[in-house]
Amino acid sequence: MAPEAAARPTRAELRLAAREQSRAQRRGAAKAATRAALFRVALPSVAALGVAGAAGVTVVQEQADRVPSQASAADAPDRTAAQQAARQADADQAAQASRGDARQPLSGAQPGAGQATATPTAQPTAEPAKPKVVMPVAEHGLGELFGAAGTHWMNRHTGIDFPVDGGSEVYAVTDGTIRTQWNPFYGYMSILKMPDGTEAWMCHLRAYKVRKGPVKQGDVIAYVGSSGNSTGPHLHFEIRPPGSGPVDPLPWFLSNGLDPR
């Protein structure tokens, strides 16, 4: 056989090669059709979303992929702070409740051994009322009494005598008004007119401290002497009711709660 004849393919080989080529073409056409279909579906979607939308989807997807790992670390302090705040609020409520519970028994409980009892407030002591009348001199004790007979009086003694030292203070026996005068028998006189019109005569004085005007009970109005018809320093004291002559001063003193004896 000639060499050229041996190099030519046979009819069977040609038919086999044609079938293989046909199969390859069909496979290539199927792949191309699939790619074209996918392109036609994807292209409207991209067009509808726009470039920014597609990029956003990509970013969101990427962030979604990353969020779980990042969020778990970033959110941990917030959750811890919230938990601490909640625990603190619970503790405050519990403390308030405990204080409220501690106060409640005190409302009806009686003071016990460990509880301080309230000290009663001392009531101010009422100042005793001042007597209506005070003594005309500081010392008690009487000399000549009312109605006594003697060579120094024309009739009877018209008052009571307080035998005290010369210069002793003489006091206003009540509130009233003072006037002064001289009398040859009574010497220097201080006459106290009381609100009811009664007069107290204080005689044989050495000097006056108040010659006239209003005085208060206990004010110093004069000083004891021995002026006028007198044998020595003493205070001659008389009481003369309104429109009347002298009366015994001793009952007058006693009726006002004082005993000058």
Side-chain angles (χ1 to χ4, degrees), residues 146-227:
F146 179 81
T151 59
H152 295 283
W153 312 291
M154 293 178 59
N155 295 310
R156 299 283 181 175
H157 194 221
T158 55
I160 56 177
D161 291 343
F162 291 88
V164 293
D165 296 334
S168 299
E169 294 178 335
V170 178
Y171 307 112
V173 291
T174 66
D175 297 347
T177 304
I178 289 290
R179 75 178 190 272
T180 57
Q181 64 185 51
W182 164 262
N183 182 284
F185 299 101
Y186 289 106
Y188 293 109
M189 302 172 60
S190 182
I191 301 172
L192 172 64
K193 188 172 185 177
M194 305 176 194
D196 65 354
T198 301
E199 290 184 348
W201 288 19
M202 288 155 281
C203 309
H204 305 304
L205 302 174
R206 173 185 295 181
Y208 307 116
K209 184 174 182 179
V210 179
R211 286 187 175 271
K212 61 184 299 185
V215 293
K216 293 293 184 181
Q217 178 191 74
D219 287 350
V220 177
I221 58 175
Y223 301 94
V224 172
S226 185
S227 60

Side-chain angles (χ1 to χ4, degrees), residues 12 27 36 57 126 128 130 203 217 222:
R27 287 195 295 271
V57 170
K130 296 180 70 174
C203 309
Q217 178 191 74

Side-chain angles (χ1 to χ4, degrees), residues 14 19 39 50 132 136 148 168 173 180:
L14 290 174
R19 284 197 297 271
F39 180 75
K132 296 179 181 180
S168 299
V173 291
T180 57

Side-chain angles (χ1 to χ4, degrees), residues 28-125:
K31 291 180 179 179
T34 302
R35 284 195 299 271
L38 291 175
F39 180 75
R40 284 194 299 271
V41 171
L43 184 60
S45 300
V46 173
L49 291 174
V51 175
V57 170
T58 303
V59 172
V60 170
Q61 181 62 38
E62 292 177 354
Q63 291 179 349
D65 295 338
R66 291 195 301 269
V67 162
S69 59
Q70 294 177 353
S72 61
D75 292 342
D78 293 340
R79 289 196 297 271
T80 303
Q83 293 173 356
Q84 292 177 351
R87 286 195 296 270
Q88 184 63 35
D90 293 340
D92 292 342
Q93 291 178 356
Q96 292 176 358
S98 62
R99 289 194 295 269
D101 294 341
R103 288 193 297 266
Q104 288 176 1
L106 296 179
S107 60
Q110 297 296 324
Q115 299 175 356
T117 58
T119 302
T121 304
Q123 296 297 327
T125 303

